[in-house]
Amino acid sequence: MKETQVSTPSSYSSSSLDLDIEKFKGDFSYDALFAKLVNGLLPSFVEEEADSVDGPINISTSGLLGPVFPEVDTLLLIFKDSCTQLVELRKQIDGKLQKLKKDVVSQDKKHRKTLGELEKRLDGIFSSFARLDSRISSVGQTAAKIGDHLQSADSQRETANQTMELIKYLMEFNSSQGEDNMMHLSSLFSDDKRVGEAASIAQKLRSLAEEDIGRHATTVPGNAGASKGLEVAITNLQEYCNELENKLLSRFDSASQRRELTNMAECAKILSQFNRGTSAMQHYVGLRPMFDVEVMNEDSRLVLGDQDSTPNHDDVNVALSERYKQITDTVRKESSTIRTVFPCPNDVMSILVQRVMEDRIPNLLEKLLVKPSLVNPPPMRQGGLLLYLRRLAVGYERTQELAKNLRDVGCGDLDVEGLTEALFAEHKGIYLECERASMRQLYKAKMEELLAEGQLSSKGASISVTVVQEFVSWNEEAISRCKLFSPQPSNLASIAKHVFTCLLDQVRQYTTEGLERAREGLREAASQRERFVLGRKVASSPASTTEGAATAGETNFRSFMLALQGCGSSVAIIQQYFVKSISRLLLPVDGAHAASCEEMTAAMSGAESSAIKGLQQCIDIVIAEVERLLSAEQKATDFRSADDGLMADPRPTTACSRVVAYLSRVLESAFTALEGLNKQSFLNELGNRLHKTLTNHWLKFAFNASGGLKLKRDITEYGDFLRNFNAPTIDEKFESLSIMANIFIVAPESLSSLIEGTPSIKKEAQRFVQLRDDYRSARLASKLSSVWA
């Protein structure tokens, strides 16, 4: 915009404002335009306004105020002129826009026409490119074929050149044999700096010559002289290769002694061309100090000690673990060298570990595990078969750990676990028989020990739970070895069954023999009593003999009960051990668990039979002593005193007190030893025998009324004691006896009503009523005839 500076309102004119279209382009700002239009007028207004505010108000002479914004008219003129110019500018712009639209439409038509023509040309170009691409592909395929042919031709040419070179060398070896011939070989075969190349060429020459001989032998059968010259070449080549290999091995040894790993690796790389380097690998392993005879002899000395010593199981275990650790550490150190030197370290490690498992370990195990004779086993003072079995378990377990550690160090594809099993195959073949023979030997030695200590004798014999627990400990140890040698469930079940059967045989034999020894004491006591009875019939026996027989019976009764208690505890221990440790091992084999249960029952049947017989003997001894006490202490006056008053002594008879005291004393051990049904059966039998013995004893006496009261008091005493048996049938029998005693107390005229009113005593009442001292005088037989009828 072009404008002239406005100094005063009166100097402004419309010609002083000129708006240009070009000024509206670019960074046009309406605020800037407005400022330029009015800034010339606004400052004076602002100053005057300030003066009017600060000073007094001017009042015209006419009394009216002056205009507040006198420049407003000038601004209105400016705005009106500006609007006029802007309208004109808009018209100009609209005209230009219309013209531009027409030009754009025209240019668009031309552009579309040009694009159409270009698309047609592009289609033609694309078609040309497709034809060109197909042509290029065809040419490329042809070029590839030509390249393949050229490459094949070049390869053939290279092969032909190499073959010609090999034939030239082969002809050198095809001369006559002998050292002089080797002198005429190419420098390649004598240059120490080209040993690797010479070895490679020599191997190729051998393969070429051997292939040619094989081809002639196949295509021309019977033509033995077809390749006579090549056979000479092969002989010379073999001689040269042997010489070269020995030279390289010598260099390898020298470098090994100086620990020159680089030179060792160079020699090993060249030697790998001779039979894949097997000779170098075996040569290196064979020269290791760990396979020296002195070192291997040191193994057994450190593990087993001096020749005359017999180290215990734990010491052997520790020493063997330490020695195997040293072997593993040595192999680990060798592994570091091998992986640095040899191009195929896994193959060398395989040879090294195999040498360990087939040479060094067997040398140690041969001295550690001397296979014993089962016919003449080593004596227990030298450890017996158990020493061999413990060493076998230690050796097997530690060798398995060694094999695992060697596998971790690295041994290629070697089946080190299989080698371990092979080491123990012979021992595992006789393991089960050794285990069973060992348990028999242990049992025999234990019985000899107990016999020497006086624990096994016919007098005072007992069954020790401690001894049975020792049997179980042997079996537990044997089962642990079973798990080690036969971890497969089916095999373990079969072996565990056999081993457990050994335990059953031991417990059966120990308990049965123990009970039989205890029974022997009972038989001696019975025999002593019989001698006393026989002597009493001939002449009166001294009191010491009588008491001696009674004491022997009582002592042997207690001894048998102790043995029986030990037997029961032993059976409980075996049952608990079977449930806890054996039963789950037998589950993988059908029927094994049930068969073992049957064997356990059968094994205990012998002891059960001895127990039953012994308990019967105990009852016989008790009844015999009761009979002796009754015979010795019971007086006729006890039941038929001269004073037949009903105010009799309330105490039981002396015979009754002695019998009850004896029963209380002797049966104390029975109550402790017996349990459950066994206890109840024994007490029932003893109670019945006591009832019968007492009944027969009383039938020998005559009773008056006071005697009946005394009898009733004795019956009550016996009944009170027998209630400890918890046998209702026995209690009922003694209650019936107590009622039966009323037969001697009531008056003769009341007997009939008593007997008929008590059916439980009617059967025995006829015998007892005859014992009344007034049976005849009171004519009771005729009075009671109607009762028995």
Side-chain angles (χ1 to χ4, degrees), residues 202-223:
Q203 294 301 318
K204 291 179 180 178
L205 292 176
R206 289 181 60 186
S207 299
L208 181 63
E210 291 172 355
E211 182 182 353
D212 184 74
I213 289 179
R215 184 168 60 252
H216 279 77
T218 303
T219 57
V220 189
N223 188 2

Side-chain angles (χ1 to χ4, degrees), residues 32 224 228 295 342 369 417 461 509 589 688:
K228 187 66 177 288
V295 176
F342 289 94
L369 304 176
E417 291 80 8
Q509 185 175 352
V589 176
N688 287 324

Side-chain angles (χ1 to χ4, degrees), residues 482-542:
C482 293
K483 295 177 181 178
L484 177 64
F485 293 126
S486 298
Q488 299 82 5
S490 57
N491 293 340
L492 177 59
S494 177
I495 295 177
K497 181 177 179 294
H498 287 293
V499 173
F500 180 66
T501 300
C502 291
L503 173 63
L504 293 179
D505 290 340
Q506 290 176 339
V507 176
R508 175 194 57 77
Q509 185 175 352
Y510 177 67
T511 54
T512 302
E513 291 179 357
L515 289 174
E516 286 299 319
R517 286 191 297 271
R519 286 187 61 209
E520 183 63 28
L522 294 175
R523 283 192 288 269
E524 289 183 5
S527 176
Q528 186 175 352
R529 182 176 297 281
E530 289 176 0
R531 289 193 299 272
F532 159 71
V533 173
L534 181 62
R536 188 177 60 180
K537 291 181 179 179
V538 176
S540 60
S541 299

Side-chain angles (χ1 to χ4, degrees), residues 457-644:
S457 63
S458 60
K459 295 182 179 180
S462 63
I463 297 175
S464 172
V465 175
T466 304
V467 173
V468 175
Q469 288 175 336
E470 191 171 356
F471 296 165
V472 173
S473 68
W474 299 341
N475 205 263
E476 286 178 329
E477 183 179 341
I479 291 295
S480 68
R481 288 190 287 267
C482 293
K483 295 177 181 178
L484 177 64
F485 293 126
S486 298
Q488 299 82 5
S490 57
N491 293 340
L492 177 59
S494 177
I495 295 177
K497 181 177 179 294
H498 287 293
V499 173
F500 180 66
T501 300
C502 291
L503 173 63
L504 293 179
D505 290 340
Q506 290 176 339
V507 176
R508 175 194 57 77
Q509 185 175 352
Y510 177 67
T511 54
T512 302
E513 291 179 357
L515 289 174
E516 286 299 319
R517 286 191 297 271
R519 286 187 61 209
E520 183 63 28
L522 294 175
R523 283 192 288 269
E524 289 183 5
S527 176
Q528 186 175 352
R529 182 176 297 281
E530 289 176 0
R531 289 193 299 272
F532 159 71
V533 173
L534 181 62
R536 188 177 60 180
K537 291 181 179 179
V538 176
S540 60
S541 299
S544 59
T545 304
T546 304
E547 295 298 329
T551 302
E554 191 170 338
T555 300
N556 286 285
F557 180 93
R558 290 195 182 94
S559 296
F560 181 82
M561 288 299 171
L562 285 176
L564 195 61
Q565 184 179 10
C567 180
S569 299
S570 301
V571 172
I573 290 173
I574 298 304
Q575 291 173 338
Q576 183 179 5
Y577 172 63
F578 176 78
V579 173
K580 181 180 178 181
S581 302
I582 302 299
S583 59
R584 65 174 181 272
L585 299 180
L586 305 178
L587 294 178
V589 176
D590 293 338
H593 186 278
S596 293
C597 291
E598 292 178 0
E599 289 181 4
M600 190 157 49
T601 302
M604 297 301 107
S605 62
E608 182 179 356
S609 176
S610 295
I612 293 174
K613 294 177 182 178
L615 288 173
Q616 190 62 51
Q617 288 176 277
C618 288
I619 292 175
D620 292 341
I621 285 179
V622 170
I623 296 302
E625 179 63 14
V626 169
E627 289 176 345
R628 186 191 71 82
L629 289 173
L630 291 174
S631 176
E633 302 295 338
Q634 197 82 71
K635 303 294 188 290
T637 57
D638 289 342
F639 304 118
R640 195 178 181 185
S641 60
D643 184 9
D644 194 20

Side-chain angles (χ1 to χ4, degrees), residues 108 192 298 316 371-372 418 424 440 465 512 656 673 694 724 783:
D108 185 60
D192 288 346
E298 186 72 6
V316 171
K371 190 168 66 172
F424 293 89
R440 290 193 293 269
V465 175
T512 302
C656 176
L694 290 172
N724 296 322
K783 291 180 179 180

